[in-house]
């Protein structure tokens, strides 16, 4: 009987030990989940903080991060996957154009650039991210935005507000490339360089939507059959916008992006106004054709495939083409350090 009690005690000990390990794993998993939720909340908090600190434009989410503050270092370190932030290159002191304006793509907002802003400010460059009309925290109803001029108005207002002798570097992501092209055509003398980040760098007479035809189908088929269309003026009227469902967005845009950034995007994406995407651009050799354009290719992109990006480059050759390996359609999430390094490199080109 004593032996049996001893045996039972050993079983009890093993059972208790097993329960303890399971409870430990459960607590560890809860802790991991809690940390992810905390990071996501911090990201959202920082995005909101950008808006609250912005004083230049109503409806834009531009933010300057102090060059010597400890908060700035914490911000960039937290979202650089534990890697050391790039050191300030000495040659940046000689760069004449240090102001970089970041233009988001379709459905996104100024919020998507939070990592890029921090990294650029770390090396002494000035980064400003704008919300296009009806995007981010701009409250304009996307159903009333019918032209590229209306969609690009925050960017045009920003350029017009610059001091007379000041130039900027424009960076346009995805469908935001059309807004950059529109700005180049209208203000070629105010833009030092234009960077198209896996963007719709279309030629004269083309529509921004045409770049996505491989994935979404031709404009005619899309307007007739797509389940993603939005009819803001009623089903009997032409479509006013579109928005992909969450699973579609995850597969097309974020196939290499961190979970917390995907979570941020899922609660921040806005419907896409259809008019600007379907508008044919009028681009002249004198204005747009004389501008300095650079194209950044993303090589694991499912929204704008590498083949389509190659086609855009062939049909409308830029000054230089740079590539990011392993990046999805959102390198500001999936490859922020690589994107940062390329932007700094472009800024350094005389």
């Amino acid at each position: 009987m004593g032996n049996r009690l001893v045996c039972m005690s050993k079983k009890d000990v093993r059972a208790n030990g097993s329960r303890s390990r399971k409870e430990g794993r459960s607590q560890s998993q809860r802790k991991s989940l809690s940390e992810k939720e905390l990071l996501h909340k911090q990201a959202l908090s920082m995005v909101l903080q950008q808006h609250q600190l912005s004083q230049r434009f109503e409806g834009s989410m531009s933010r300057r991060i102090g060059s010597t503050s400890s908060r700035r270092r914490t911000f960039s370190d937290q979202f650089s996957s534990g890697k050391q932030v790039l050191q300030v290159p000495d040659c940046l002191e000689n760069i004449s154009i240090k102001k970089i304006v970041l233009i988001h793509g379709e459905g996104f907002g100024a919020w998507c650039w939070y990592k890029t802003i921090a990294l650029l400010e770390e090396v002494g460059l000035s980064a400003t991210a704008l919300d296009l009309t009806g995007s981010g925290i701009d409250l304009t109803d996307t159903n009333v935005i019918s032209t590229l001029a209306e969609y690009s108005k925050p960017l045009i207002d920003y350029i017009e507000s610059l001091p007379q002798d000041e130039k900027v570097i424009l960076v346009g992501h995805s469908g935001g490339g059309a807004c950059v092209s529109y700005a180049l055509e209208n203000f070629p003398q105010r833009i030092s360089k234009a960077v198209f980040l896996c963007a719709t760098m279309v030629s004269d007479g083309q529509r921004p939507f045409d770049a996505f035809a491989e994935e979404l189908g031709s404009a005619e088929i899309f307007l007739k059959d797509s389940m993603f269309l939005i009819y803001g003026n009623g089903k009997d009227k032409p479509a006013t916008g579109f928005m992909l469902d969450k699973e579609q967005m995850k597969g097309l845009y974020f196939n290499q992006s961190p979970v917390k950034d995907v979570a941020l995007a899922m609660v921040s994406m806005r419907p896409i106004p259809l008019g600007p995407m379907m508008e044919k651009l009028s681009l002249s050799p004198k204005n747009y054709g004389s501008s300095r354009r650079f194209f950044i290719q993303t090589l694991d992109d499912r929204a704008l495939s590498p083949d389509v990006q190659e086609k855009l480059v062939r049909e409308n050759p830029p000054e230089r083409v740079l590539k990011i390996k392993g990046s999805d359609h959102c390198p500001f999430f999936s490859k922020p350090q690589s994107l940062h390094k390329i932007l700094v490199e472009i800024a350094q080109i005389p």
Side-chain angles (χ1 to χ4, degrees), residues 57-68:
F57 286 105
E58 181 180 357
S60 79
M61 213 188 309
S62 54
R63 180 187 176 196
R64 293 294 304 277
I65 302 171
S67 59
T68 59

Side-chain angles (χ1 to χ4, degrees), residues 165-184:
D165 59 345
E166 188 170 5
K167 294 186 178 184
V168 297
I169 297 173
L170 291 188
V171 180
H173 170 244
S174 195
C179 300
V180 171
S181 295
Y182 181 80
L184 285 173

Side-chain angles (χ1 to χ4, degrees), residues 12 51 200 245 282 290:
D12 291 341
H51 170 52
T200 52
D245 62 41
S282 179
S290 64

